């Protein structure tokens, strides 16, 4: 099992990940703790008469033990939902044993490699940089939402339903649409499951299907649509969402 010494690298890019941004404070604690618990080299040990092996980037532990490492206010359920979330976002994979879980952190070698160039904020004489100029800002922001993020999937759902009503509808910039879903979740405090239900209602309603043609319009009309959507039974089971507070989707 992991020896708790040494240090790890955490890339600042994590702050811009839609997965990380949608975590609660406690769930972020779980992610950081798992990173800190991961083995940095191959390990082999015996547990109850059986030999176990782990590779760099793997954690062999129990949900209860991870919860204890996170602090007194962290529960086993918080760890479980966070790991499920992370697994469905491609951050890690798991293999469940009778009493323990083997967690494998994806891309561990990529970010922990000694050959990885560390980019720290250092003084520069470049006038463009000193003026706040960021050459690749647009390129970096273009794909900030992964295709399996909740923001992107809800945007894609709206487009697919729009296309079902009008096959000639032009495909939008789903990254831009995802930004408005992000604002609905983070700023407006909308539950993703409620957003999905409102989308489905709007595209089945004789009036609203032709008036909600973007996520920005969806956000603007959400307070009007929500009570209407809650009065009807969903036509189909939620796709990609569900579970407690929507976290089982991950």
């Amino acid at each position: 099992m992991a020896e708790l010494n040494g240090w790890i690298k955490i890339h600042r890019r994590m702050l811009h990940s839609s997965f990380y941004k949608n975590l609660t404070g406690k769930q972020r604690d779980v992610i950081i703790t798992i990173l800190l618990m991961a083995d940095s080299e191959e390990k082999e040990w015996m547990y109850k008469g059986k030999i176990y092996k782990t590779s760099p980037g793997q954690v062999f532990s129990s949900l209860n033990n991870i919860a204890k490492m996170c602090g007194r206010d962290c529960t086993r359920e918080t760890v479980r939902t966070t790991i499920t979330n992370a697994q469905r976002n491609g951050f890690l994979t798991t293999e469940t044993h009778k009493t323990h879980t083997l967690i494998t952190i994806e891309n561990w070698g990529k970010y922990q490699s000694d050959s990885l160039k560390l980019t720290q904020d250092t003084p520069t004489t470049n006038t463009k940089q000193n003026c706040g100029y960021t050459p690749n800002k647009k390129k970096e922001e273009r794909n900030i939402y992964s295709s399996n993020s909740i923001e992107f999937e809800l945007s894609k759902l709206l487009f697919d339903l729009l296309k079902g009503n009008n096959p000639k509808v032009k495909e939008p910039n789903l990254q831009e649409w995802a930004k408005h879903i992000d604002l609905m979740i983070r700023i407006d405090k909308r539950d993703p499951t409620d957003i999905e239900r409102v989308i489905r209602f709007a595209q089945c309603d004789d009036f609203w299907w032709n008036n909600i043609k973007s996520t920005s319009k969806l956000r603007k009309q959400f307070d009007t649509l929500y009570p209407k959507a809650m009065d009807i039974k969903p036509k189909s089971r939620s796709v990609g969402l569900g579970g407690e507070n929507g976290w089982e989707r991950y």
Side-chain angles (χ1 to χ4, degrees):
M1 286 182 262
E3 295 180 7
L4 302 182
N5 53 29
W7 54 276
I8 63 171
K9 302 173 186 176
I10 301 179
H11 202 287
R12 290 190 180 94
R13 187 177 299 173
M14 182 182 290
L15 290 173
H16 301 290
S17 163
S18 58
F19 156 63
Y20 191 74
K21 287 192 296 183
N22 284 319
L23 295 175
T24 66
K26 289 183 180 179
Q27 290 167 336
R28 290 187 176 190
D29 285 345
V30 173
I31 292 299
I32 298 301
T33 298
I34 289 174
L35 287 172
L36 291 170
M37 292 177 69
D39 285 320
S40 58
E41 57 186 23
E42 290 186 357
K43 299 287 178 65
E44 180 178 319
W45 74 97
M46 182 174 291
Y47 178 73
K48 292 186 177 181
K50 186 176 180 179
I51 296 178
Y52 291 90
K53 295 181 180 180
T54 54
S55 301
Q58 291 187 320
V59 178
F60 188 74
S61 187
S62 67
L63 300 184
N64 286 331
N65 188 50
I66 295 174
K68 290 179 182 178
M69 296 292 288
C70 290
R72 290 179 296 177
D73 61 343
C74 185
T75 65
R76 182 182 185 279
E77 183 63 17
T78 298
V79 174
R80 186 189 69 79
T81 54
T82 304
I83 289 177
T84 301
N85 179 350
Q87 184 173 9
R88 295 186 180 178
N89 270 273
F91 184 81
L92 54 78
T93 59
T94 62
E95 180 181 327
T96 303
H97 296 263
K98 187 175 182 180
T99 59
H100 288 70
T101 297
L102 177 64
I103 300 171
T104 302
I105 300 170
E106 296 295 312
N107 297 318
W108 174 267
K110 177 180 178 181
Y111 290 103
Q112 302 301 321
S113 172
D114 291 336
S115 62
L116 180 66
K117 182 179 180 181
L118 297 178
T119 54
Q120 300 292 338
D121 295 329
T122 54
T124 176
T125 56
N126 187 309
T127 56
K128 289 184 177 180
Q129 290 183 353
N130 289 338
C131 292
Y133 176 74
T134 307
N136 297 320
K137 184 176 181 180
K138 289 184 177 180
K139 184 176 181 180
E140 291 175 356
E141 291 181 348
R142 190 173 300 138
N143 295 315
I144 191 172
Y145 302 99
S146 64
S147 60
N148 64 349
S149 67
I150 191 65
E151 297 88 352
F152 191 93
E153 286 196 350
L154 285 172
S155 300
K156 184 66 163 53
L157 172 64
L158 177 57
F159 170 63
D160 288 342
L161 294 176
L162 280 168
K163 193 172 183 180
N165 287 326
N166 177 13
K168 294 185 178 181
V169 67
K170 184 179 178 181
E171 184 171 356
N173 182 333
L174 292 177
Q175 288 290 322
E176 289 296 323
W177 276 27
K179 288 181 181 180
H180 294 287
I181 298 294
D182 180 28
L183 292 173
M184 293 176 71
I185 296 173
R186 290 190 301 107
I187 306 301
D188 304 339
K189 306 302 180 184
R190 310 295 191 191
D191 188 281
T193 305
D194 291 339
I195 295 175
E196 181 192 8
R197 190 165 181 175
V198 168
I199 289 174
R200 292 186 182 280
F201 164 78
Q203 291 307 306
C204 290
D205 185 81
D206 292 338
F207 173 77
W208 287 107
W209 80 268
N210 199 36
N211 285 276
I212 303 300
K213 295 183 176 181
S214 68
T215 52
S216 61
K217 191 65 177 289
L218 175 70
R219 185 188 183 200
K220 183 178 180 181
Q221 297 294 339
F222 192 88
D223 285 333
T224 300
L225 291 167
Y226 179 77
K228 300 178 183 293
M230 295 303 106
D231 285 340
I232 65 172
K233 185 178 181 180
K235 288 181 175 293
S236 61
R237 186 179 179 184
S238 296
V239 176
L241 299 173
E244 188 175 73
N245 297 324
W247 281 111
E248 287 303 315
R249 134 78 179 81
Y250 295 97

